[in-house]
Amino acid sequence: MHLLTLGLNHTTAPLSLREKVAFPGDALRDAVADLRRQLKVIVPESAILSTCNRTEIYCATPDPRDARAEIARWMVERNALGGPSQLEPHLYARPNDQAVRHAFRVASGLDSMVLGEPQILGQMKDAARVAQEADALGTHLHQLFQRTFAVAKEVRSHTEIGAHSVSMAAAAVRLAQRLFEDLKQTSVLFVGAGEMIELAATHFVAQHPKKITVANRTAERAQKLAQRFGANALKLADLPETLAEHDIVVSCTASSLPIIGLGMVERALKARRRRPIFMIDLAVPRDIEPEVARLDDVFLYTVDDLGKLVQAGIENRQAAVAQAEAIIENRVDAFMHWLSSRQAVPAIRALHARGDALKRAELDRARKALARGEDPDAVLEALANGLAAKFLHGPTTLLQRPGPEQQQVSALIDRLLPDGGS
């Protein structure tokens, strides 16, 4: 069995493509189930990691080449893309040890848009859990994810990889401070109630804006988050009538379609008498129609825009990166050793089965001899000789062949029987 990771991320694909192949919210469960249903034979183990920065499929397969082609075909059909040419130039494939190294780096925050960001680890755990619930997580991927989580914990415990990181939320606050002289005089609207919105709200609330509102499709979740931050709760259906009341809008939902359209924002600007609106779209697929960015009094930023800002100060993290990479390389070697040992399992089982068969045959022969009244010592001698002869037959045959096989068997015997077998 081989490991394979196939996907695209913020370094290989633009946001316009990433949002088309993303699986937000419950769409992830449906996608995992569909992938397993269609490709179970060629991809017996699979999991999908889908975030704002990446969509990756981790799998165990007997044939990596066929698996790559079939998964790419599935991604095109599942997401109704125009054809392979729209996807293929942006895909990367990571086989075997490269797949292991990639998983370790992703979970440790080394492959993120924000170097060292911690959210990706939780997202990988969600990916593993969804795959487990779909019965798509077999021995190989289960072991890969468990070791991935352990490596990420080790990297964060023994390096300062996250010490100098600047989160998307912090970058959003910095941008807002450039536009508004005093954030205490602003009204902030958060659309969504997930982890990213919670993080953004934490940063903005620290600036003490005069008004905070949380809008969400589920009123209960909106109310719960609003209570935590002393905010007002709002239904998404009321968004068109209340958008104009807010200077700052931060949106991150699991919607597959934009929820804030061009017309809605144009009406809000008219009601605001052209006072500017600062908008942050952290969702993939995007929550805010891209055309909104063309409006004169709107300052719209996406996750890719924020990613460019958070790269500042990366030199402060290079020492931690080098240390983290060293930890990862060591753990990759350990995992590949485990994987190699798994390849020998069928041969070991066959060897044990052969040994049991030989043992039973010799025991049957000995019991029959004893039943005939033959000398017990002679029977035991014959039993020992029979077992030894059958045990030595295979190695002896190989030793009689010149070439590499002879040398390999000799080396194996030396390890098994050191000092002449004493």
Side-chain angles (χ1 to χ4, degrees):
M1 194 70 72
H2 300 268
L3 295 176
L4 175 68
T5 298
L6 188 70
L8 48 78
N9 64 17
H10 59 284
T11 66
T12 70
L15 176 58
S16 58
L17 177 59
R18 297 203 311 274
E19 64 184 355
K20 291 179 180 177
V21 299
F23 300 107
D26 291 337
L28 179 61
R29 288 184 174 82
D30 295 338
V32 170
D34 185 56
L35 178 65
R36 180 159 178 76
R37 183 168 52 252
Q38 292 199 39
L39 303 183
K40 183 177 180 179
V41 175
I42 189 64
V43 184
E45 300 181 34
S46 59
I48 301 176
L49 173 63
S50 182
T51 75
C52 59
N53 291 331
R54 70 185 66 245
T55 295
E56 296 177 338
I57 297 176
Y58 294 78
C59 67
T61 173
D63 191 332
R65 182 175 298 181
D66 282 355
R68 187 201 185 288
E70 288 300 311
I71 292 172
R73 177 191 60 77
W74 176 84
M75 291 181 71
V76 170
E77 293 179 357
R78 176 74 186 181
N79 297 289
L81 300 181
S85 61
Q86 189 175 354
L87 181 68
E88 283 290 346
H90 305 280
L91 284 178
Y92 47 79
R94 305 278 189 266
N96 294 315
D97 62 324
Q98 294 180 36
V100 177
R101 184 176 296 104
H102 182 76
F104 290 177
R105 296 187 79 255
V106 169
S108 300
L110 296 181
D111 196 60
S112 297
M113 184 180 290
V114 181
L115 185 63
E117 62 93 4
Q119 284 181 295
I120 186 62
L121 179 57
Q123 292 165 331
M124 288 195 79
K125 289 182 177 180
D126 288 341
R129 176 178 50 78
V130 171
Q132 183 72 53
E133 291 172 354
D135 197 28
L137 209 62
T139 301
H140 297 84
L141 284 191
H142 175 78
Q143 187 67 213
L144 173 63
F145 279 116
Q146 292 307 308
R147 296 204 184 195
T148 294
F149 304 150
V151 168
K153 181 178 180 180
E154 183 178 2
V155 166
R156 296 185 186 281
S157 299
H158 293 86
T159 75
E160 295 187 358
I161 192 65
H164 306 286
S165 65
V166 179
S167 69
M168 293 283 188
V173 171
R174 291 183 184 181
L175 281 174
Q177 289 172 331
R178 295 179 187 178
L179 182 61
F180 299 101
E181 184 175 342
D182 185 3
L183 292 186
K184 292 181 181 178
Q185 301 303 315
T186 62
S187 297
V188 184
L189 169 65
F190 297 103
V191 183
E195 184 179 356
M196 186 68 80
I197 286 295
E198 186 175 347
L199 181 61
T202 300
H203 281 76
F204 274 99
V205 168
Q207 304 302 315
H208 307 291
K210 67 178 182 181
K211 180 181 177 182
I212 305 170
T213 305
V214 177
N216 191 59
R217 195 176 307 277
T218 305
E220 183 180 352
R221 292 193 64 183
Q223 188 64 45
K224 183 177 180 181
L225 190 61
Q227 288 177 349
R228 176 178 171 183
F229 292 108
N232 302 311
L234 185 71
K235 294 180 180 179
L236 276 186
D238 297 329
L239 203 56
E241 289 74 31
T242 56
L243 184 62
E245 301 172 11
H246 301 90
D247 308 297
I248 299 171
V249 179
V250 182
S251 186
C252 188
T253 74
S255 174
S256 58
L257 297 172
I259 57 177
I260 300 178
L262 178 63
M264 184 190 302
V265 179
E266 286 178 327
R267 290 189 294 273
L269 286 174
K270 185 176 181 181
R272 289 173 61 83
R273 298 183 179 181
R274 293 298 170 182
R275 284 183 294 119
I277 301 180
F278 176 73
M279 308 185 84
I280 294 289
D281 190 349
L282 298 174
V284 177
R286 283 174 280 191
D287 283 341
I288 303 173
E289 287 186 345
E291 293 77 10
V292 169
R294 297 203 296 261
L295 298 175
D296 290 338
D297 298 301
V298 173
F299 297 83
L300 173 61
Y301 293 84
T302 66
V303 288
D304 284 4
D305 298 326
L306 292 181
K308 296 172 184 176
L309 296 175
V310 300
Q311 293 305 316
I314 193 172
E315 65 279 357
N316 297 327
R317 301 190 284 269
Q318 290 308 310
V321 169
Q323 189 178 1
E325 296 281 16
I327 293 173
I328 287 172
E329 282 304 309
N330 183 267
R331 297 299 177 256
V332 169
D333 290 342
F335 185 87
M336 294 310 295
H337 178 75
W338 173 84
L339 191 60
S340 296
S341 69
R342 290 288 306 173
Q343 310 295 346
V345 168
I348 292 172
R349 288 175 177 169
L351 183 62
H352 278 277
R354 176 63 175 162
D356 287 340
L358 294 175
K359 177 186 71 176
R360 287 194 298 271
E362 291 302 317
L363 280 174
D364 287 343
R365 186 176 292 110
R367 288 191 180 101
K368 290 177 181 177
L370 290 173
R372 291 194 299 268
E374 295 183 19
D375 180 40
D377 288 338
V379 171
L380 289 174
E381 183 79 16
L383 174 64
N385 288 338
L387 287 173
K390 289 179 172 59
F391 173 76
L392 295 173
H393 175 72
T396 301
T397 301
L398 291 174
L399 283 171
Q400 291 172 344
R401 299 177 183 174
E405 285 186 349
Q406 184 187 61
Q407 298 173 3
Q408 292 171 4
V409 174
S410 296
L412 178 60
I413 291 175
D414 288 340
R415 290 198 296 270
L416 294 174
L417 302 173
D419 299 326
S422 60

